[in-house]
Amino acid sequence: MAGHEHDEEADAEAVAGHTRRHRSDTTVIVTDERAVRRAVRAAALGNAMEWFDFGIYSYLAATLGHVFFPSENPTVQLLSSFATFAVAFLVRPVGGMVFGPMGDRIGRKKVLALTMIMMAIGTFAIGLIPSYTAIGFWAPVLLIFFRLVQGFSTGGEYGGASTFIAEYAPDRRRGYFGSFLEFGTLSGYIGAAGLVTALHAWAGADAMEAWGWRVPFLAAGPLGLVGLYLRLRLDETPAFRELRSGSAGAAGAARAGGGTGREAGRGAEDRAEDRASARTGTTARGDLAKIFRGYWRTLILCVALVGAYNVTDYMLLSYMPTYLSDELGYSDTHGLLILLGVMAFLLLIINRIGVLSDRFGRKPLLMTGMLGFFFLSLPAFVLIGQGSVPAITAGVLMLGLSLVCLLGTMSAALPALFPTEVRYGALSVGYNVSVSLFGGTTPLVITALISLTGSNLTPAYYAMAAALVGVVAVTLMKETSRSPLPGSPPSVATEAEALALPQARPPRREF
């Protein structure tokens, strides 16, 4: 590690637009600001396009229920539509188990490009499906199939994009740069909600059911090509390159070393390559077993954090327009406009939350968000139930301010739970198992509970229960701000920071 000894030799080489400085005891990555910003921009824009694609369905749920699930009962129709929304989340863990370990083997960049292609294809195809009145039973079957394609591709998106940004960013600014991932998420939701709102206002309900609902889905094709172009132009992350260079060095040393015979030489090389494979996760059969066996405690913590975060996230950003229109009788356009305004405000402050998490730590910001949902959800939904524009706006804003504390922090906190060699895979598995169980089912569960109980305050109680789980999880997690990612060398913004690092750091234990 970079130290203060004057007689210590140091050399440097370029690594993905960064400088890798060698000292006698370890390596320090000195980041290139332009390379970091280029990587963050591409990851965030790609994420925005993914969630534009995914968010469209949420905002068109009622319309799609009429098109694909004809029924005399509006509640049954809406439940059918939300069940199709939820079915995409059933395959997200499968996508995470496929794409996550793949990202640890072949690299983050290639897998993120692949998920971008699949999401664009799935979304574009939904826009081409004939209605139930045209082809009957096959219409909802095709809708469910392409929702499964969307869900499968999304299984590799968040874990990969958050890992990509975290591994590019300097340690002291990981929260700030990580917040741009959720900046992209909010931008995607705003783009989807804005387009759907404009179409509703311009075309009207009848035209939306006839053809207008197809427009946002068809827009996914060209947007996907833009996202793919941006991602293919990126270099691999410095942390992953560092891991692979160490593995390649071990294998190369075995090939160069002597032996008593051909068999002995081959055996030494194989053993070295096996060790390299263990470091980079190249043994496909052992990937998931290694994650579940070696990191199960951290996986449980990840599932709890993500579950609490996603229940509140999907309740506000996906379900709220439907709640306002179907449960409170508010018009589709007015409900979306209020949510759009609140999301635009959150977009303005989310990067400030990332900066605060770098300064004060991840845990204080995450705890603020969880406690906000626990104490403010009930007053917020009482306000929303009043029905006036100021009351609804105030209630949604209370929930939004709690959510932004999680949005601006989680993208930096979650990748730091796992070491480099399994980070993409472990985070993708933990994140998507949790989202599948708790996030994507939120609109369906809340709609069913309101129908069962008859209480419009049910979403508040559901959010409070999720927040309570989140409070426990945040209490148990370790603070990771301003520290190197586990399994990665320290990453700093300047040569001066590298030289100022202490020569020795105490070992950091996992949860």
Side-chain angles (χ1 to χ4, degrees):
M1 195 168 296
H4 302 292
E5 298 296 328
H6 295 293
D7 59 348
E8 198 171 358
E9 292 293 330
D11 65 330
E13 59 180 286
V15 180
H18 295 52
T19 301
R20 186 169 64 190
R21 297 192 61 86
H22 300 284
R23 292 280 172 171
S24 59
D25 48 353
T26 191
T27 297
V28 179
I29 300 294
V30 181
T31 63
D32 180 295
E33 181 81 6
R34 289 171 300 177
V36 174
R37 290 186 179 278
R38 188 166 59 247
V40 169
R41 185 164 53 247
L45 283 173
N47 198 56
M49 291 168 190
E50 288 261 5
W51 291 107
F52 170 85
D53 293 354
F54 214 74
I56 289 168
Y57 192 98
S58 304
Y59 301 130
L60 287 171
T63 301
L64 293 174
H66 298 155
V67 174
F68 290 100
F69 305 100
S71 171
E72 297 299 324
N73 189 328
T75 300
V76 172
Q77 201 172 64
L78 186 61
L79 282 171
S80 299
S81 183
F82 275 137
T84 307
F85 177 80
V87 78
F89 289 82
L90 298 178
V91 295
R92 280 187 64 163
V94 180
M97 291 178 189
V98 172
F99 290 123
M102 188 188 300
D104 287 325
R105 289 196 304 274
I106 68 173
R108 287 67 163 119
K109 167 187 168 179
K110 295 176 183 176
V111 176
L112 284 173
L114 181 58
T115 62
M116 186 87 258
I117 295 170
M118 290 189 65
M119 174 59 85
I121 291 173
T123 309
F124 184 79
I126 289 176
L128 299 176
I129 300 174
S131 67
Y132 185 91
T133 56
I135 60 172
F137 168 77
W138 289 106
V141 168
L142 287 172
L143 178 64
I144 291 170
F145 173 77
F146 288 115
R147 284 291 295 164
L148 291 174
V149 172
Q150 283 186 315
F152 186 73
S153 71
T154 308
E157 173 61 25
Y158 184 90
S162 59
T163 293
F164 197 88
I165 292 177
E167 291 182 350
Y168 253 99
D171 297 331
R172 291 177 178 268
R173 302 187 70 194
R174 194 178 305 123
Y176 169 68
F177 285 115
S179 67
F180 278 95
L181 184 66
E182 296 297 355
F183 184 95
T185 300
L186 282 174
S187 298
Y189 274 124
I190 288 173
L195 181 55
V196 171
T197 302
L199 283 169
H200 269 294
W202 176 65
D206 292 339
M208 282 298 292
E209 285 190 26
W211 58 267
W213 66 269
R214 299 183 185 274
V215 175
F217 289 102
L218 295 177
L223 288 177
L225 293 177
V226 173
L228 179 63
Y229 170 74
L230 291 171
R231 288 187 168 179
L232 288 177
R233 293 182 64 223
L234 291 172
D235 293 316
E236 193 50 84
T237 70
F240 185 77
R241 284 197 174 193
E242 183 69 27
L243 186 71
R244 292 300 295 266
S245 67
S247 302
R255 294 188 184 95
T260 56
R262 185 172 183 178
E263 291 296 322
R266 172 58 60 185
E269 181 178 326
D270 288 345
R271 286 192 297 274
E273 289 185 342
D274 285 344
R275 287 193 294 272
S277 295
R279 289 185 64 188
T280 57
T282 53
T283 305
R285 185 166 51 182
D287 282 338
L288 294 175
K290 179 180 180 181
I291 290 169
F292 284 111
R293 184 174 60 248
Y295 302 95
W296 63 271
R297 290 185 181 87
T298 317
L299 277 173
I300 292 174
L301 178 64
C302 180
V303 168
L305 284 168
V306 174
Y309 156 54
N310 271 275
V311 164
T312 54
D313 187 359
Y314 282 96
M315 181 190 71
L316 181 61
L317 300 185
S318 295
Y319 174 71
M320 186 57 70
T322 302
Y323 176 78
L324 292 174
S325 61
D326 283 50
E327 305 300 337
L328 302 184
Y330 223 63
S331 74
D332 292 334
T333 303
H334 287 168
L336 278 171
L337 283 173
I338 291 173
L339 185 60
L340 267 172
V342 171
M343 287 195 294
F345 175 70
L346 300 185
L347 204 63
L348 294 176
I349 65 173
I350 190 169
N351 297 135
R352 297 299 95 197
I353 299 296
V355 171
L356 290 176
S357 78
D358 284 329
R359 182 176 179 182
F360 299 109
R362 317 293 184 226
K363 293 183 67 170
L365 271 296
L366 291 175
M367 188 63 78
T368 299
M370 297 298 181
L371 291 176
F373 273 110
F374 185 75
F375 288 109
L376 297 179
S377 289
L378 194 55
F381 273 92
V382 169
L383 275 173
I384 292 169
Q386 300 302 308
S388 67
V389 171
I392 293 175
T393 302
V396 172
L397 187 59
M398 289 167 65
L399 298 173
L401 290 173
S402 300
L403 179 62
V404 79
C405 293
L406 307 180
L407 288 174
T409 309
M410 202 68 77
S411 299
L414 293 176
L417 295 175
F418 303 100
T420 306
E421 63 184 11
V422 297
R423 183 170 297 125
Y424 196 154
L427 180 53
S428 294
V429 170
Y431 187 90
N432 288 293
V433 165
S434 187
V435 171
S436 177
L437 293 174
F438 307 111
T441 58
T442 294
L444 177 65
V445 170
I446 292 178
T447 301
L449 287 175
I450 290 175
S451 179
L452 183 66
T453 64
S455 172
N456 287 331
L457 294 179
T458 299
Y461 299 123
Y462 196 62
M464 291 169 66
L468 191 59
V469 173
V471 167
V472 175
V474 173
T475 302
L476 292 174
M477 72 177 284
K478 287 181 169 57
E479 185 57 68
T480 59
S481 66
R482 305 171 73 87
S483 300
L485 291 168
S488 298
S491 178
V492 298
T494 65
E495 294 278 347
E497 285 186 55
L499 294 172
L501 286 172
Q503 282 205 316
R505 292 179 182 265
R508 294 170 62 235
R509 292 178 293 176
E510 297 277 335
F511 168 78

